[in-house]
Amino acid sequence: MDQIVNVDEFQELAKQALPKMYYDFYNGGAEDQHTLNENVQAFRRIMFRPRVLVDVSNIDMSTSILGYPISAPIMIAPTAMHKLAHPKGEIATAKAAAACNTIMIVSFMSTCTIEEVASSCNAVRFLQIYVYKRRDVTAQIVKRAEKAGFKAIVLTVDVPRLGRREADIKNKMISPQLKNFEGLVSTEVRPNEGSGVEAFASSAFDASLSWKDIEWLRSITKLPILVKGLLTREDALKAVEAGVDGIVVSNHGARQLDYSPATITVLEEVVHVVKGRIPVLLDGGVRRGTDVFKALALGAQAVLIGRPIVYGLAAKGEDGVKKVIDMLKNEFEITMALSGCPTIDDVTRNHVRTENERIKSML
């Protein structure tokens, strides 16, 4: 692992390590994959306004989310089925998160059970959920997570239907039986044509889910609720009005609606209406420590890392995941120092210049 110098290099290692069906499942986006590319490219159009002659001999990257301290504003996004990437699955990812002193959001579609992840190591964890047509299934999983010591529920709200992921359709991607749902619901689909994951989702996911269902979720859990998958000021306002405890600005890793905006380009409009009342996290396209800094400058409390975690896991297991997080932390630390920001609180909107600002300045 000595020769790996950045997070993107793990992607190539993962491609070599994984069967094509699984690599394509993790790597792919919806339809033309326009948003998939844009999620990454949009960060590259934001430039820095670094400040100099600031004492940066001690850099403190630490912060807290919902009152839980983390070593840096870099968390692990919920991604499905880690055992397709590595035999130890989510347990390896959880151990890496704990070692790096950060929060893992465990996927509803995890290949290890909630209880296995919880007992693998001592750490703060959140659970991402989907609401199934069979509400009792979702309710049971939420209650199990609460009992197992999970600290928050992250409700994904951008999947009334699954996006068209053409690689999965071509590969006839299988949907394995997930241990969390054994005795509750069959998740296994081995399709003759099309994507098994899509077939399972369309049979299981509740397309009638609406804002009033936040009340239902509140009624079954005492845990804080974050909503993941907002991209507009209108929905951010509705989320605040619904009394949620946090927002994740996300386009589902560009796997749902192609030509939805890159998340970093809409972060500010969400932050402006939220006005600091609840935390706003950003998901999508973060590949560098500089990206982490840009997201914080535009108002995010932290970022979530998705695909790079899976690539690290596929390439090198638990150590690969640790390495990915450590690389991002190291790059972020250097970015803070070179921008003149000794602490997270020192990172301000004045430290970056967006594409829109550049265009306006030319007019």
Side-chain angles (χ1 to χ4, degrees), residues 27-277:
N27 177 56
E31 297 190 342
D32 296 328
Q33 305 192 125
H34 174 82
T35 299
L36 184 68
N37 294 316
E38 224 6 56
N39 265 356
V40 172
Q41 292 301 326
F43 274 106
R44 298 184 175 170
R45 296 193 286 268
I46 299 168
M47 305 308 272
F48 291 126
R49 300 184 70 249
R51 305 301 303 271
V52 298
L53 294 175
V54 177
D55 179 355
V56 289
S57 54
N58 288 305
I59 298 286
D60 181 4
M61 297 184 286
S62 68
T63 185
S64 69
I65 298 298
L66 298 182
Y68 298 106
I70 49 177
S71 60
I74 299 167
M75 295 163 55
I76 296 187
T79 49
M81 304 193 277
H82 287 193
K83 275 191 181 173
L84 302 188
H86 189 273
K88 293 207 166 74
E90 287 79 8
I91 287 171
T93 314
K95 285 180 170 171
C100 295
N101 191 10
T102 192
I103 295 170
M104 174 184 181
I105 305 176
V106 180
S107 170
F108 202 58
M109 312 303 281
S110 162
T111 34
C112 299
T113 67
I114 285 166
E115 293 78 10
E116 285 170 340
V117 175
S119 61
S120 68
C121 55
N122 196 10
V124 173
R125 276 177 285 268
F126 300 170
L127 177 72
Q128 175 267 332
I129 65 162
Y130 292 112
V131 175
Y132 281 2
K133 288 172 189 166
R134 278 188 56 195
R135 295 282 171 105
D136 61 305
V137 173
T138 297
Q140 271 196 54
I141 302 275
V142 168
K143 287 179 174 126
R144 277 168 54 191
E146 198 163 345
K147 193 176 165 203
F150 281 68
K151 300 298 186 210
I153 298 295
V154 179
L155 173 66
T156 297
V157 294
D158 56 5
V159 191
R161 312 249 310 250
L162 207 69
R164 287 192 72 255
R165 304 163 193 177
E166 293 180 357
D168 292 349
I169 296 169
K170 276 205 173 95
N171 293 335
K172 301 180 186 169
M173 174 65 191
I174 57 160
S175 172
Q177 180 59 39
L178 299 172
K179 273 168 90 176
N180 268 328
F181 302 105
E182 266 170 19
L184 288 172
V185 66
S186 169
T187 63
E188 188 172 7
V189 184
R190 294 181 176 273
N192 294 321
E193 56 178 9
S195 159
V197 175
E198 197 279 323
F200 168 69
S202 60
S203 71
F205 290 13
D206 187 352
S208 78
L209 193 70
S210 65
W211 285 107
K212 68 179 184 329
D213 295 305
I214 303 284
E215 286 300 304
W216 168 78
L217 189 53
R218 277 238 174 282
S219 75
I220 64 165
T221 182
K222 295 185 198 66
L223 294 177
I225 296 165
L226 294 87
V227 291
K228 175 177 180 283
L230 306 190
L231 295 166
T232 62
R233 64 170 71 81
E234 293 90 338
D235 279 343
L237 211 47
K238 284 198 153 159
V240 172
E241 285 163 4
V244 305
D245 302 287
I247 288 171
V248 184
V249 175
S250 171
N251 53 32
H252 210 104
R255 293 160 79 79
Q256 283 299 99
L257 178 64
D258 200 18
Y259 300 95
S260 60
T263 45
I264 193 66
T265 66
V266 293
L267 173 61
E268 261 197 304
E269 79 167 73
V270 169
V271 167
H272 283 161
V273 299
V274 171
K275 296 188 170 76
R277 288 174 282 190

Side-chain angles (χ1 to χ4, degrees), residues 298-309:
L298 294 175
Q301 257 77 37
V303 299
L304 310 186
I305 312 296
R307 287 182 182 85
I309 295 292

